[in-house]
């Protein structure tokens, strides 16, 4: 199976780019961050603190994540409920980052991610895909951009969706989340030696997509 792994900090454009790369190559796209968000949403809706590792671990067997829709534009469901929009709420971002520190949650989701990658040609994006989920993927990319540029992009996205969050809050959250994701003891976000680092601060989406697709086509 063709496996393309993309990691990077929040707001680097991984999902936009991952989706377009998958469309160009006519393969499946899987946003693994959405899975952590879905678990965080489910746990918080049950009134459980996402940092309460034992209670979270006990809830995991009740969670069934499924998908519907196109290969590159799937909707994500938890126990039959479409949570595709709800998981994008600003408050879920920090909860997802916090819950992703727990080994039980990671084990639960990584098993699903590896299963999907073993059955289909996929672009997987996340924080530990190149280092941990698919260390033997044929293609590995680390996508990044300056924090201020990532905050600018994320802020416009949230405003377009009707949020009234201000830029400084988004920037602060991005810096906090980077720290959280890069410094956690389990599967932190790192640049692996064999990953191709793409800094998109001064690149358009189309340029990044073309760069990745070219690399894959050249083999
Ligand atoms: O990509 P995202 O912002 O939607 O991801 C939400 C959080 O999930 C992120 O802050 C860290 C966590 N995550 C992870 O730990 N491992 C992954 N493979 C993907 C996301």
């Amino acid at each position: 199976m063709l496996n393309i792994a993309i990691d990077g900090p929040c707001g680097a454009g991984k999902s936009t780019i991952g989706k377009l790369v998958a469309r160009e190559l006519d393969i499946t796209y899987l946003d693994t961050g959405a899975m952590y968000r879905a678990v965080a949403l489910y746990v918080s809706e049950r009134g459980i603190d996402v940092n309460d590792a034992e209670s979270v671990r006990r809830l995991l067997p009740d969670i069934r994540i499924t998908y519907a829709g196109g290969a590159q534009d799937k909707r994500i469901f938890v126990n039959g409920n479409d949570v595709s929009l709800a998981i994008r709420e600003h408050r879920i971002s920090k909860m997802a980052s916090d819950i992703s520190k727990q080994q039980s949650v990671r084990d639960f989701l990584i098993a699903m991610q590896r299963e999907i990658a073993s059955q289909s040609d996929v672009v997987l994006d996340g924080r530990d895909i190149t280092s941990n989920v698919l260390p033997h993927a044929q293609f590995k990319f680390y996508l990044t951009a300056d924090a201020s540029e990532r905050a600018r992009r994320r802020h416009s996205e949230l405003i377009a969706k009707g949020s009234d969050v201000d830029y400084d809050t988004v920037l602060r959250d991005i810096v906090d989340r980077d720290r959280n994701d890069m410094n956690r003891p389990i599967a932190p976000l790192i640049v692996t030696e064999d990953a191709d680092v793409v800094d998109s601060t001064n690149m358009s989406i189309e340029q990044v997509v073309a760069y990745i697709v070219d690399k894959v086509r050249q083999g």
Side-chain angles (χ1 to χ4, degrees), residues 120-166:
S120 38
D121 294 335
V122 279
V123 176
L124 242 75
D125 88 44
R127 303 291 189 290
D128 65 335
I129 311 302
T130 56
S131 58
N132 188 39
V133 179
L134 302 175
H136 305 299
Q138 297 94 323
F139 299 95
K140 296 169 140 192
F141 298 92
Y142 184 91
L143 195 55
T144 189
D146 290 350
S148 56
E149 174 62 15
R150 290 188 279 125
R152 194 193 59 75
R153 293 176 191 167
R154 185 50 62 92
H155 181 242
S156 335
E157 233 171 67
L158 289 166
I159 297 293
K161 283 181 189 155
S163 162
D164 60 359
V165 65
D166 62 285

Side-chain angles (χ1 to χ4, degrees), residues 184-211:
R184 64 184 181 209
I186 307 168
L189 170 64
I190 55 161
V191 186
T192 60
E193 261 182 20
D194 53 357
D196 195 338
V197 179
V198 185
D199 183 333
S200 74
T201 309
N202 297 307
M203 285 172 88
S204 67
I205 291 169
E206 293 73 23
Q207 285 173 322
V208 179
V209 172
Y211 177 83

